[in-house]
Every structure is written in structure tokens, then in C-alpha cells.
Amino acid sequence: MTDYPFATEVITEVDLKSRVVELGQAISNDYLDRSPLFVVVLTGSVLFAADLVRNVEADSEVDFLGLNRFGEGGRIGIAMDLSAPVVDRNVIIVEDIVDTGLTLKVLRRMMTDRGAASVSTAALFDKTRRRVTDVPIEYRGFEVGDEFLVGYGLDWQGVYRNLRSIWAVMDIEAFVRDPKVLSKQLHSG
Ligand code: IMP
């Protein structure tokens, strides 16, 4: 794994891939007789969702939900709604990372209120220590620390979603000064 003073590679592409396969197998076992509807939360979860659904052996559908987040406190609005109702569907919310848990809590309630038959969550990363509200995660990829992570869908000011592995930001100031500080290093040859 690679280290720079401002960022460290913390999860390799190989480890990501094999964990996503395991999550797909767990979902396949649980949803043999129920077709899941994957509700993918834009934008960070798209890469994870694309790999996850390819490892699920059950008739699956995929839909997308775009959110607006309003500051602290978990207030969210819908920027882009699902294309179809979730009534009587077995929803699996696909999240990139659960931090305070507030977003996920609102989403689970939203799916239940809209009449989903069941609601569960697949989250690739879980910042357990930062949780402020109890919320279940049925399919959890990795428990991670408090560091801000980028790569594999996760961004810093829109950058780094395309990285194949996960990096932890070690020097926030360096990223504030120059959001592309890591990409300059990675692409410098
Ligand atoms: P929560 O409502 O506090 O759980 O917020 C979860 C959301 O915060 C995620 O879906 C991400 O958009 C964002 N987030 C939290 N931690 C990170 C991180 O380390 N990297 C990138 N985005 C993050």
C-alpha cells in the first residue's frame, strides 16, 4: 500500500473486490425467494452498487435516489426521486458510507412510509465510532475509523471517485488548500 504525507492507501482494490463478493453472496442467500429492489443513493454509492449487484444471484432491480443534505443534524431533501413506487417491494438501500447514521435513518423511514414490504441496508463502510443514532446495517463491508476517506465512489469536493482503492486523508489542511493534492501525486508518473 502506498503512503504520502497527506494521504494513505487503506483498502486495496483486491480487498474491496473480495468483500463486495462476500456481501453479494450474503444477499443472494437471504433473497433467494424475494426479488430485491436496490435503492442506490447517489452519487458515492454508484461504484459499489455496480459491483454488488453483479454478485447477487436473485432477480434484482436497481433504482436511484439523489439527496440534498442541509448542514448538520441529518436534514435531507430529495434532489432526484426514484423512478417507481416501492410499495410491496423488498428494498435494499445501498449506501457508500454510514457516518452519523442520520441519513440512513431518514431513508429507512422513508422506504417504510412509502409501503416497502421490507427494508435492509448494504453499506460498504461503517464509521461506527461517529454514530449519533442507532440504525441497523444488515450488510456491512468494512468498519473504518474517523478519517475522511476517498476513492471507489467517495469524493473530496467531487474529486477521487474514480480511484480503484480507498485512501484516508491524513492532512485535511493540504486537501483544503488544494483538493487535487493527491491526484497530482498519483498522476505524476
Ligand atoms: P451520515 O448521515 O452522517 O451517516 O452521512 C453519510 C454521508 O456522509 C455519506 O453518504 C457520504 O456522502 C458522507 N461521508 C461521510 N463520511 C465520508 C467520508 O469519509 N468520505 C466521503 N464521504 C463521507
Side-chain angles (χ1 to χ4, degrees), residues 41 69 74 95-104 127 130 146-150 154-155:
V41 184
R69 293 193 172 85
E95 262 285 27
D96 46 7
I97 186 162
V98 180
D99 188 13
T100 62
L102 293 168
T103 307
L104 183 56
K127 287 187 170 173
R130 289 182 41 89
D146 299 349
E147 299 88 7
F148 197 88
L149 303 178
V150 297
L154 299 174
D155 74 310

Side-chain angles (χ1 to χ4, degrees), residues 78 82 85-89 91 93 104-119:
I78 296 176
L82 297 169
V86 298
V87 180
D88 295 335
R89 304 302 308 270
V91 168
I93 297 169
L104 183 56
K105 188 148 215 173
V106 172
L107 284 178
R108 289 184 73 111
R109 165 122 1 113
M110 187 190 295
M111 294 302 122
T112 305
D113 289 350
R114 288 183 179 194
S118 66
V119 181

Side-chain angles (χ1 to χ4, degrees), residues 115-146:
S118 66
V119 181
S120 64
T121 301
L124 187 55
F125 304 110
D126 182 1
K127 287 187 170 173
T128 327
R129 291 203 299 263
R130 289 182 41 89
R131 196 75 87 258
V132 302
T133 181
D134 260 353
V135 63
I137 301 174
E138 287 79 1
Y139 308 99
R140 178 172 74 157
F142 300 87
E143 187 172 337
V144 294
D146 299 349

Side-chain angles (χ1 to χ4, degrees), residues 7 23 26 30 37-38 49 54 66 68 131 137 149 183 185 188:
L23 294 179
D30 295 349
L37 168 65
F38 290 92
R54 280 182 282 188
N68 285 320
R131 196 75 87 258
I137 301 174
L149 303 178
S183 66
Q185 194 67 43
S188 68

Side-chain angles (χ1 to χ4, degrees), residues 58-77:
D59 293 330
S60 305
E61 287 178 51
V62 180
D63 208 342
F64 298 92
L65 187 64
L67 301 179
N68 285 320
R69 293 193 172 85
F70 305 106
E72 302 288 312
R75 282 205 312 126
I76 61 171

